[in-house]
Amino acid sequence: MSGRRLKFILYIVITDYYVVTNPLSESPAILPSIRSAIASTLAKMAEQRTIMFSGSPLNRLSWLRTSHSFLNAIVPSPKAHWLLFKSGNPLTVKTETKSSLSYLSTKDVAPFIGEAPYFGQGKTSGILAADEQISATEAVRHRGAPIVFLGLHETGSSGTGALPSSEFADAEKALEKIEGAPYFALDVTDLELEDEAIEAALKETEPAKSGSTLAWLDSRSVMMNTDLFNGAIFAEARSMCDWNSRNKFCAGCGARQHSMWGGWKLGCSTLMPWADNTGRKPCPSGKGLHNYTHPRSDPVVIMLAVDQSGEKILLGQNNRFKGKFYSALAGFIEPGETFEDAVKREIWEEAGVKVWDVQYHSGQPWPFPASLMCGFYARADSTKPVRTDLDNELADARWFSREEVMTVLKHATGSYLDLAKLAEASSQLSNDPNEPPFRVPPTTAIAGVLIKDWAEGKVQFPPFSLTPKGNL
Ligand SMILES: [Zn+2]
């Protein structure tokens, strides 16, 4: 048995004893090493856990995004998988009972991606930009809807997806070494095509000709209709298509901007070698890094406060989902805050509760449109009052016992499954004795994972201390 594992078991024994016998006393001297053991164990748990939308199976090959030689060479791959979106909703194959993501071939998407070259486009249609080493034209796509290169699903065992960009001077030779399927995404909304033309083109695709029914699926229903592999690809694709689609003008100077780097950068049209900038001030995006030219992930803290006994958690009912739906509290991280600061501020603002001992649990990309949910537990004192009248974001917040939560988790409909229909369903809840007393999110959402892991006793804390730490 390793020293660390022994230390952790010792911690559990000591903590159980400590909490039972003296729950409100100060932390013992052993605390720093205990904290370290807990942090290490939680980190290991987070690594082993796979949460919907996380754990991407693709090698993103991000260092090759600037190479139009690479990107243009793999677009025609017979193994290419294209995930199409329309206004953020993915194309799916629909059956009577289920919808699953539909991947199209490069041949199928030809009407949507336009003519070659797809990346590194020059001033004139059909001509490559003269030199891909000029940063303004690196894998630029200023003609046609943005195409996002999601990555390569490697099927070979040789790891040849790790090719250096220099090898793509001879793209065809380099491609021979790549084993696997490239994945791309594209949103058809901004194409100069009428809806009828889009639908007609879809009817000519291989899946449609083989008898499949293709349909755009409400994006929030995807998590109920997919597995972890496809969920992770969808999350990356949706966030990236959305980001490209909603940033058509340069935040630095207001000029049109276009897609670059296989959809992973936006470039200002005033920076193109052929731009006529007479009378314009230089665009600030021409120098340095800018958070409006690179994709964004907006971090959100989502957390459960666990009380001094370890037997109660604080859950809130959002104003938008009134009824019997309770979930973890959450909020965006603000500039100038750490994760811990945001956890403390949000629980205070929404429920009037002060917390400490903030501990990371796991994360979940949330592509609606670009959030990164960061899951935490924190310690709090449930003998203190709860109040929701500070920011009035919650209709209710209260402490629930492990027994109450377990009753809901064991109930057939206790973890509500369809977030898209949540508001409607919650308002329809009645006093039917067959209904659960309240509902919590499913484990496809990180809030559901936090609740379930705590309820099943998988969460441990250092000994409870009455002295709040941190800035509240
Ligand atoms: Zn600009």
Side-chain angles (χ1 to χ4, degrees):
M1 182 181 292
S2 73
R4 179 165 284 183
R5 174 129 179 87
L6 176 63
K7 200 184 286 177
F8 184 64
I9 290 171
L10 272 175
Y11 154 70
I12 294 172
V13 173
I14 291 168
T15 305
D16 282 352
Y17 171 79
Y18 210 80
V19 168
V20 169
T21 55
N22 193 3
L24 300 182
S25 62
E26 291 291 329
S27 308
I30 196 172
L31 210 53
S33 56
I34 289 174
R35 278 178 197 282
S36 157
I38 294 167
S40 156
T41 305
L42 280 173
K44 239 177 237 169
M45 283 171 68
E47 269 177 30
Q48 290 164 0
R49 189 178 295 109
T50 308
I51 293 177
M52 180 57 73
F53 300 144
S54 71
S56 173
L58 302 183
N59 176 355
R60 297 190 179 196
L61 292 169
S62 59
W63 65 92
L64 292 175
R65 289 171 187 156
T66 55
S67 166
H68 65 233
S69 300
F70 164 70
L71 293 167
N72 287 328
I74 57 161
V75 165
S77 164
K79 293 179 183 170
H81 285 52
W82 291 78
L83 184 56
L84 297 193
F85 289 83
K86 189 177 182 190
S87 299
N89 295 325
L91 188 68
T92 57
V93 172
K94 197 177 172 196
T95 64
E96 268 184 31
T97 55
K98 201 171 157 58
S99 295
S100 50
L101 296 183
S102 172
Y103 295 107
L104 300 180
S105 67
T106 299
K107 185 166 167 271
D108 285 338
V109 299
F112 306 125
I113 61 176
E115 63 173 6
Y118 311 104
F119 302 94
Q121 298 170 333
K123 184 182 178 186
T124 309
S125 178
I127 305 293
L128 267 179
D131 183 355
E132 70 175 313
Q133 299 308 315
I134 298 174
S135 63
T137 56
E138 276 176 342
V140 67
R141 181 173 167 79
H142 58 92
R143 199 173 284 113
I147 292 174
V148 180
F149 171 60
L150 301 170
L152 184 75
H153 182 228
E154 292 169 296
T155 49
S157 54
S158 52
T160 50
L163 285 174
S165 45
S166 58
E167 296 213 7
F168 279 85
D170 186 345
E172 277 183 27
K173 242 182 191 170
L175 276 190
E176 286 171 12
K177 296 185 189 171
I178 286 193
E179 297 175 52
Y183 279 68
F184 296 93
L186 176 141
D187 194 311
V188 300
T189 315
D190 292 329
L191 291 170
E192 290 174 3
L193 285 176
E194 298 293 332
D195 280 359
E196 294 74 26
I198 293 172
E199 296 309 317
L202 290 178
K203 284 205 175 90
E204 296 302 313
T205 60
E206 203 51 48
K209 283 183 172 171
S210 308
S212 295
T213 303
L214 297 179
W216 307 103
L217 177 71
D218 175 74
S219 62
R220 285 186 179 259
S221 301
V222 168
M223 74 174 85
M224 308 308 155
N225 284 280
T226 195
D227 54 18
L228 292 169
F229 179 98
N230 291 293
I233 292 172
F234 161 80
E236 179 189 356
R238 189 183 190 283
S239 280
M240 290 304 301
C241 284
D242 180 275
W243 177 72
N244 274 278
S245 163
R246 74 167 71 203
N247 292 283
K248 296 187 173 68
F249 296 93
C250 175
C253 76
R256 292 285 305 191
Q257 60 184 6
H258 47 252
S259 173
M260 301 175 67
W261 294 10
W264 290 84
K265 188 180 177 186
L266 291 172
C268 177
S269 55
T270 68
L271 302 178
M272 299 301 267
W274 51 80
D276 177 3
N277 294 323
T278 311
R280 297 186 75 102
K281 285 183 181 175
C283 175
S285 73
K287 285 185 181 172
L289 288 173
H290 299 273
N291 64 359
Y292 49 83
T293 63
H294 296 276
R296 53 188 290 172
S297 287
D298 302 330
V300 172
V301 286
I302 182 161
M303 56 271 164
L304 286 183
V306 180
D307 86 334
Q308 65 277 17
S309 68
E311 291 300 309
K312 287 181 182 174
I313 52 171
L314 182 70
L315 297 177
Q317 182 188 84
N318 196 289
N319 272 323
R320 287 177 299 156
F321 303 136
K322 283 184 182 170
K324 292 184 177 178
F325 184 77
Y326 282 82
S327 185
L329 276 52
F332 284 101
I333 294 182
E334 296 189 348
E337 280 186 327
T338 62
F339 291 120
E340 292 85 349
D341 294 337
V343 167
K344 290 170 184 173
R345 177 182 53 76
E346 282 289 343
I347 300 185
W348 168 246
E349 287 178 358
E350 293 185 4
V353 170
K354 292 183 178 180
V355 301
W356 56 96
D357 274 345
V358 177
Q359 293 178 17
Y360 179 70
H361 177 268
S362 56
Q364 180 178 42
W366 194 249
F368 308 106
S371 295
L372 173 60
M373 312 299 282
C374 308
F376 292 88
Y377 293 101
R379 214 71 201 268
D381 184 350
S382 64
T383 64
K384 297 283 167 42
V386 173
R387 54 188 292 187
T388 58
D389 61 338
L390 295 178
D391 67 0
N392 289 302
E393 194 172 315
L394 300 178
D396 186 30
R398 52 182 146 124
W399 293 97
F400 289 90
S401 70
R402 193 185 302 271
E403 193 184 348
E404 287 176 297
V405 172
M406 284 307 290
T407 302
V408 168
L409 291 179
K410 285 176 184 168
H411 194 282
T413 62
S415 298
Y416 197 73
L417 290 177
D418 194 341
L419 285 179
K421 295 177 182 166
L422 183 64
E424 180 193 348
S426 293
S427 63
Q428 286 171 352
L429 283 177
S430 64
N431 290 323
D432 185 338
N434 295 320
E435 289 284 343
F438 62 99
R439 282 190 166 117
V440 295
T443 50
T444 44
I446 191 170
V449 177
L450 291 172
I451 292 168
K452 188 164 182 283
D453 275 10
W454 166 78
E456 292 178 349
K458 293 176 183 167
V459 181
Q460 301 294 336
F461 279 95
F464 184 76
S465 162
L466 250 191
T467 311
K469 298 166 184 68
N471 60 358
L472 285 178

